[in-house]
Amino acid sequence: MTGNEIRKAFLDFFESKKHLKLHSFSLVPEDDPSLLLIGAGMAPLKPYFTGKLVPPSYRVTTSQKCIRTGDLDNVGRTARHHTFFEMLGNFSFGDYFKKDAIAWAWEFLTEVLELDADKLYVTVYPDDEEAYDLWHNMIGLADERIFKLEDNFWEIGEGPCGPDSEIFYDLGPERGCGQPACTVGCDCDRYLEIWNLVFTQFDRTKDGKYEPLEKKNIDTGAGLERLASVIQQKDSNFETDLLFPLMERVIDICHGDYADPQQKIAMKVIGDHIRAVTMMIGDGILPGNEGRGYVLRRILRRAVRFGRVLGIEKAFLADLVDIVVDMYKEAYPELLERKELIKTVIDTEEAQFGATLAQGLELLNEMIAAVGDKKILEGRQVFRLYDTFGFPLELTEEIAREHGLALDQVGFDEAMKAQQERARMARAKVSATVAVPDTTGLDRSHVVIDESAAAGKIVILGNDGVAVNEAEKDEAVTIIFDKTPFHAEGGGQVGDTGFVMSANGTAEVTDTKCLPNGLSYVIAIVTKGSLKKGDDVTFSVDKVRNLAIARNHTATHLLQAALRKVLGSHVNQAGSLVAPDRLRFDFTHFSPLTADEIAAVEREVNTQIWKNISLEIEEMPIDEAKKKGAMALFGEKYGHIVRVVTVPGFSCELCGGSHVTNTSVIGFFRIVGESGTGTGIRRIEAVTGQAAYETAAHDSLLLARTAALLKTKEEEIPAKVEQVLAGFKESERELQQLQRKLATSSLDKILAAETDVGGVSVVAAAVQAESMEGLRDMADMVLNKLGTGIVLLGAVQGDKVNFVCKVAKDTVQKGFHAGQIVKAAAVTAGGGGGGRPDMAQAGGKEPQKLDAALAAGKKAVEEIIS
């Protein structure tokens, strides 16, 4: 069976057992700030396990996309470690329990996959006699094939937990360690865990007690890649059809040898990583310097680095995307829709990392030059190179070895640990609780969203995730109404605000959000009296703010269509923000927009506004919407019935947001900014309506003031500015000439400071220079006049002192190093620095110590001689 066939067989099997088959959730967690990325099959289903939300079915089955990077360094070096993998799972939310979970697992493995039953072994928790009895008496496993292990208990602090039972497959003695005691649990590769059945039957309380759950749950996870390796009889997950086609392409690109151990590791890393990168970008994650964007960037750059190990110098990763998409389009058709965007992002990021590698090499060379006699690269500097500049640690180690240097591993580990602790503390500040209380008892048939609703009833009142009956003045609460006119945050649009009033109190609505099951709730602060569950309330939505949001939201639709018309059909939305005062629109494009392109886009949007076009907003099945040509929001998930917003003849998009009824309501559209995020994604910021008028009025005032200062007419400002700049450049040129003359005239005075140190001519002098560039020029002149030797110059510049050291080539060959000399001077003046053996510069914070610093530099020369 192929990997795709195994996945389908699993889902079809549990669908036949009355499970609801769900498409994989996005790798981006929804409403769960405790997670950076989805790393387990049950993670997206957490609200159903905790009972906060009613599940769409009490039996569910999924093949869930997962990302884990905890063992990143092991990827490629073992048979099983991956960054991306698929977790097959069947779940019960208070429905069936151990008997069915065990029976169905055995049936699927032995009858559907036709695995040899004699090669299957299981583990159970020692106190779980029920699970042992089911495996032994119901399934018929011999006692010697059931292992009782203390580790077989799943829990993560407070909350639902319980024993688990793992299923292992015996790969044969030839895969084992050969020891007589080798059995399940051994660290060797013989016994492979392929499935874990978790029996969630307890609730761990704050004081550590395990209370039985009224509704017991089943959570299982089977690794698709592991099952494929067993069925396809491969030594490693990487040789299965879920990965090996990628590695074959890498072999073609680099003309490599898979039998070579080092090349094999690099090929496995690239195959694994490009699969992860493709899936992450496909789910709307873009490279960045923090959060999940940083995870993506690190994985992508690691793949580039291992390409270099194989001798691949050109960009190559985007070429592999076609293979990933072809392998996975059956299970994840969204990859095919977003293929070009994925390739664009990867291409751009790979090109930028080429420049990063060059920058990192330059910094590393400076670090190596400043090492001194210890022959060890300082750990914190190495970590900065790794963390700030994304320079691979293994590359630093390799280059260090070439120079006979070691790494300060202790210092590096301390810096890494400090960063991890900062990240852990930052995460600890984020509440992992769902903002609203348990909604499972709510009759959703009586809960509706109605933008015209003027009154309603409070059906759920929550405080810090707990249901309450009453909230007093100044308390922050979450509220669900039986009907609500407040529009929730989503699709880039911010949530509505306003007021809620009852007979006994008033609350200010500060935001409106939506739960994964579609329930809308408001976040509010009680400003007067109190609110109670069951209160009849009246609503006051901030209509002015809401209309401003609607203007900006419709304008984003017009903007995307205009961008595609002006720039080309490669433009796709990559994110947006729709606020009352502005809109921000991110889109795929390869270069900055020219002034003419920006003007053309702005003109096109305004043309549609002035055409006075009435919008068409309708609901329909998603297949019908796609036939109509409706564009989807990148990274967004849609149900079977979707809302389509159309500007006839110009734009058609899937959207659940607020919109104006006619384009003329937008009034005026103005682009106020265009920039790039550095990943093949451009960003436009714009304003509409009153904000557009105020921006234009502000710009007009600035123009008038500028004309007055330049004593010219507004239309003549560009010519006047050119004239002023030309005069400034001429003055700057004259100043530089004067500075050179001054430097030349003081050359004799500087050369008078020449001394002989062990047969080497040394000039160490304090000089006047306005900039570091001027100081370097002066050092060049002195060394040229000197012919050979060492020049160390220092100049006070403001509240700092700067140093430059130049060493003649023949003097460098004698063992003198400019970096060491200038560092000695700078340290004395309260600073630091370094550089190459022939030229180095540094700075200090104590200009009053300039003379002492120059003396320290001369002493460093003497120490080198001695």
Side-chain angles (χ1 to χ4, degrees):
M1 297 174 75
T2 66
N4 284 330
E5 288 170 343
I6 297 168
R7 184 195 302 109
K8 185 177 185 302
F10 183 93
L11 297 174
D12 288 350
F13 174 80
F14 281 100
E15 193 172 33
S16 74
K17 305 296 183 184
K18 296 183 171 55
H19 287 63
L20 174 64
K21 180 167 61 176
L22 294 179
H23 186 71
S24 172
F25 291 84
S26 169
L27 287 166
V28 179
E30 187 171 359
D31 292 329
D32 190 348
S34 68
L35 296 176
L36 191 64
L37 290 158
I38 294 299
M42 64 77 63
L45 306 172
K46 195 190 299 183
Y48 307 137
F49 281 110
T50 59
K52 288 291 182 76
L53 296 177
V54 177
S57 167
Y58 289 100
R59 297 182 182 187
V60 165
T61 183
T62 63
S63 178
Q64 177 61 44
K65 296 178 286 188
C66 299
I67 292 283
R68 290 184 191 173
T69 57
D71 294 315
L72 192 61
D73 291 337
N74 284 327
V75 174
R77 302 181 188 279
T78 71
R80 314 286 171 218
H81 280 97
H82 299 295
T83 49
F84 170 84
F85 61 95
E86 288 182 82
M87 188 68 77
L88 303 170
N90 58 288
F91 309 95
S92 167
F93 309 111
D95 188 18
Y96 64 85
F97 201 48
K98 293 180 188 178
K99 179 181 178 182
D100 288 328
I102 289 173
W104 290 337
W106 188 259
E107 181 184 349
F108 178 73
L109 291 175
T110 59
E111 297 183 24
V112 178
L113 298 188
E114 298 181 357
L115 295 182
D116 185 347
D118 292 335
K119 292 186 176 183
L120 293 173
Y121 296 75
V122 301
T123 61
V124 296
Y125 186 60
D127 294 343
D128 192 356
E129 294 297 334
E130 182 185 1
Y132 177 87
D133 181 67
L134 289 167
W135 282 117
H136 186 54
N137 296 317
M138 180 180 74
I139 300 300
L141 276 182
D143 182 70
E144 59 268 20
R145 289 168 62 192
I146 307 172
F147 296 79
K148 295 182 177 181
L149 300 179
E150 290 289 341
D151 289 342
N152 281 70
F153 196 92
W154 182 89
E155 61 182 333
I156 47 171
E158 293 176 44
C161 59
D164 61 71
S165 180
E166 297 168 320
I167 305 173
F168 290 79
Y169 185 82
D170 182 4
L171 296 172
E174 65 277 7
R175 299 283 292 278
C177 58
Q179 299 296 320
C182 180
T183 188
V184 171
C186 182
D187 290 334
C188 72
D189 282 341
R190 176 171 176 175
Y191 296 93
L192 177 67
E193 181 198 340
I194 55 175
W195 205 340
N196 188 17
L197 315 178
V198 180
F199 312 124
T200 311
Q201 62 189 82
F202 299 112
D203 180 25
R204 182 177 174 179
T205 62
K206 286 185 178 179
D207 54 3
K209 293 180 180 177
Y210 293 89
E211 303 288 348
L213 282 171
E214 182 180 344
K215 291 185 177 180
K216 298 175 174 59
N217 306 314
I218 289 294
D219 160 25
T220 82
L224 176 61
E225 288 81 3
R226 292 190 177 201
L227 284 174
S229 72
V230 170
I231 290 169
Q232 296 172 17
Q233 298 180 17
K234 303 295 183 182
D235 291 342
S236 155
N237 293 1
F238 291 89
E239 272 80 60
T240 68
D241 70 320
L242 293 169
L243 271 162
F244 199 64
L246 290 163
M247 292 147 66
E248 287 181 311
R249 178 62 184 140
V250 174
I251 294 169
D252 289 341
I253 293 171
C254 70
H255 307 293
D257 181 6
Y258 191 66
D260 180 282
Q262 291 306 311
Q263 289 191 40
K264 184 176 184 177
I265 290 173
M267 291 168 186
K268 288 164 72 177
V269 168
I270 294 167
D272 170 274
H273 285 13
I274 190 59
R275 196 172 62 149
V277 165
T278 300
M279 295 292 180
M280 291 175 77
I281 299 173
D283 275 352
I285 301 168
L286 297 171
N289 290 324
E290 59 184 28
R292 55 185 70 96
Y294 178 73
V295 174
L296 170 61
R297 174 165 282 168
R298 187 179 173 200
I299 295 171
L300 196 155
R301 290 183 168 188
R302 198 166 185 266
V304 175
R305 160 62 189 144
F306 277 93
R308 296 291 191 273
V309 169
L310 294 172
I312 306 173
E313 297 295 330
K314 64 179 182 179
F316 72 101
L317 289 178
D319 182 49
L320 302 174
V321 172
D322 291 326
I323 299 174
V324 178
V325 172
D326 191 55
M327 291 163 61
Y328 286 92
K329 64 186 178 185
E330 179 183 325
Y332 309 114
E334 62 270 19
L335 292 176
L336 192 59
E337 297 172 13
R338 298 164 188 165
K339 183 172 74 170
E340 293 309 314
L341 171 62
I342 295 167
K343 294 173 76 169
T344 299
V345 172
I346 291 174
D347 258 337
T348 307
E349 185 70 14
E350 188 171 2
Q352 288 181 337
F353 186 48
T356 299
L357 277 175
Q359 182 186 19
L361 285 169
E362 185 178 341
L363 291 170
L364 180 56
N365 288 335
E366 289 182 8
M367 288 164 54
I368 291 171
V371 161
D373 297 331
K374 291 184 179 180
K375 299 292 183 183
I376 296 176
L377 284 176
E378 204 265 318
R380 292 188 181 276
Q381 284 188 328
V382 172
F383 179 75
R384 177 172 173 267
L385 193 64
Y386 162 79
D387 186 55
T388 305
F389 297 95
F391 199 76
L393 178 61
E394 59 268 24
L395 183 55
T396 303
E397 292 174 329
E398 182 182 322
I399 294 171
R401 282 195 300 270
E402 291 172 0
H403 288 79
L405 304 176
L407 259 62
D408 169 20
Q409 192 64 46
V410 173
F412 180 88
D413 291 342
E414 287 176 351
M416 175 70 84
K417 187 176 180 181
Q419 187 216 48
Q420 290 172 339
E421 181 61 21
R422 287 193 297 270
R424 186 194 66 78
M425 291 179 70
R427 286 195 300 270
K429 293 177 182 177
V430 180
S431 171
T433 59
V434 179
V436 294
D438 188 342
T439 62
T440 54
L442 184 64
D443 183 357
R444 289 189 58 198
S445 64
H446 298 296
V447 177
V448 295
I449 297 172
D450 180 0
E451 292 185 7
S452 65
K457 185 186 292 290
I458 296 175
V459 294
I460 289 184
L461 190 64
N463 188 327
D464 196 24
V466 177
V468 295
N469 289 318
E470 185 174 6
E472 303 288 344
K473 186 175 183 294
D474 296 329
E475 284 190 274
V477 291
T478 53
I479 313 172
I480 296 178
F481 307 103
D482 61 346
K483 50 187 170 186
T484 178
F486 293 97
H487 196 284
E489 174 188 304
Q493 178 178 320
V494 297
D496 274 349
T497 61
F499 291 89
V500 177
M501 294 144 289
S502 73
N504 299 309
T506 302
E508 181 181 358
V509 175
T510 59
D511 203 354
T512 307
K513 293 183 179 290
C514 188
L515 292 170
N517 62 0
L519 273 176
S520 182
Y521 66 95
V522 302
I523 299 171
I525 297 174
V526 181
T527 56
K528 180 182 176 182
S530 65
L531 292 181
K532 295 181 180 179
K533 179 183 176 182
D535 274 356
D536 291 315
V537 294
T538 56
F539 305 118
S540 175
V541 177
D542 188 336
K543 293 293 185 182
V544 173
R545 180 178 181 274
N546 181 270
L547 181 56
I549 291 170
R551 286 192 185 100
N552 284 335
H553 204 149
T554 303
T556 61
H557 286 217
L558 298 178
L559 174 58
Q560 175 164 222
L563 285 165
R564 289 173 68 87
K565 185 174 181 178
V566 173
L567 302 178
S569 59
H570 64 277
V571 168
N572 280 294
Q573 182 172 349
S576 68
L577 169 69
V578 180
D581 58 335
R582 71 194 192 283
L583 67 91
R584 187 180 70 219
F585 188 78
D586 294 346
F587 59 98
T588 54
H589 189 55
F590 316 110
S591 59
L593 272 65
T594 65
D596 287 344
E597 287 171 335
I598 291 173
V601 169
E602 190 175 81
R603 190 182 310 112
E604 186 62 52
V605 172
N606 280 308
T607 297
Q608 302 306 315
I609 291 171
W610 301 328
K611 281 184 177 180
N612 194 31
I613 306 170
S614 293
L615 273 70
E616 296 174 358
I617 300 176
E618 51 194 334
E619 291 188 348
M620 62 184 70
I622 191 166
D623 290 339
E624 185 180 330
K626 288 181 177 180
K627 288 178 183 176
K628 190 174 181 178
M631 294 188 67
L633 177 64
F634 178 54
E636 194 80 359
K637 291 181 295 185
Y638 298 95
H640 175 63
I641 301 297
V642 294
R643 185 168 179 257
V644 179
V645 177
T646 304
V647 179
F650 194 70
S651 168
C652 182
E653 294 189 35
L654 303 182
C655 183
S658 300
H659 288 276
V660 297
T661 56
N662 187 289
T663 59
S664 64
V665 179
I666 299 171
F668 181 52
F669 171 85
R670 191 150 190 249
I671 294 175
V672 296
E674 192 276 342
S675 58
T677 65
T679 55
I681 306 296
R682 304 303 300 176
R683 170 171 292 171
I684 278 183
E685 294 178 85
V687 288
T688 65
Q690 183 180 345
Y693 164 75
E694 289 173 351
T695 303
H698 178 260
D699 289 353
S700 180
L701 183 60
L702 282 179
L703 201 61
R705 287 178 178 174
T706 304
L709 287 170
L710 292 170
K711 295 182 173 60
T712 189
K713 296 177 181 178
E714 290 183 14
E715 62 267 22
E716 294 173 357
I717 286 176
K720 188 69 174 179
V721 170
E722 287 181 0
Q723 183 184 340
V724 171
L725 287 175
F728 176 76
K729 287 180 181 178
E730 179 61 25
S731 298
E732 195 175 50
R733 188 182 65 80
E734 290 174 358
L735 179 61
Q736 288 174 348
Q737 288 177 344
L738 286 170
Q739 287 175 339
R740 288 194 189 97
K741 287 179 181 179
L742 180 64
T744 303
S745 65
S746 61
L747 200 56
D748 291 338
K749 183 180 177 182
I750 298 171
L751 287 168
E754 179 187 355
T755 58
D756 184 286
V757 180
V760 177
S761 294
V762 178
V763 172
V767 299
Q768 288 186 341
E770 296 299 320
S771 64
M772 183 63 85
E773 184 181 0
L775 193 59
R776 286 197 299 268
D777 290 343
M778 199 173 291
D780 283 334
M781 286 190 287
V782 175
L783 188 59
N784 288 337
K785 193 77 173 176
L786 204 62
T788 186
I790 300 170
V791 176
L792 174 64
L793 302 183
V796 175
Q797 295 170 354
D799 59 352
K800 298 185 295 183
V801 58
N802 284 327
F803 300 94
V804 167
C805 182
K806 302 276 290 188
V807 180
K809 287 184 179 180
D810 62 332
T811 312
V812 170
Q813 292 172 358
K814 295 177 182 178
F816 293 92
H817 196 293
Q820 296 174 19
I821 298 166
V822 84
K823 184 177 181 180
V827 168
T828 304
R836 305 190 307 267
D838 61 328
M839 197 286 285
Q841 60 190 46
K845 300 175 183 176
E846 302 174 55
Q848 70 274 15
K849 294 184 178 180
L850 173 56
D851 291 337
L854 294 170
K858 288 182 68 173
K859 187 176 180 182
V861 175
E862 294 171 359
E863 289 174 352
I864 292 173
I865 292 173
S866 62

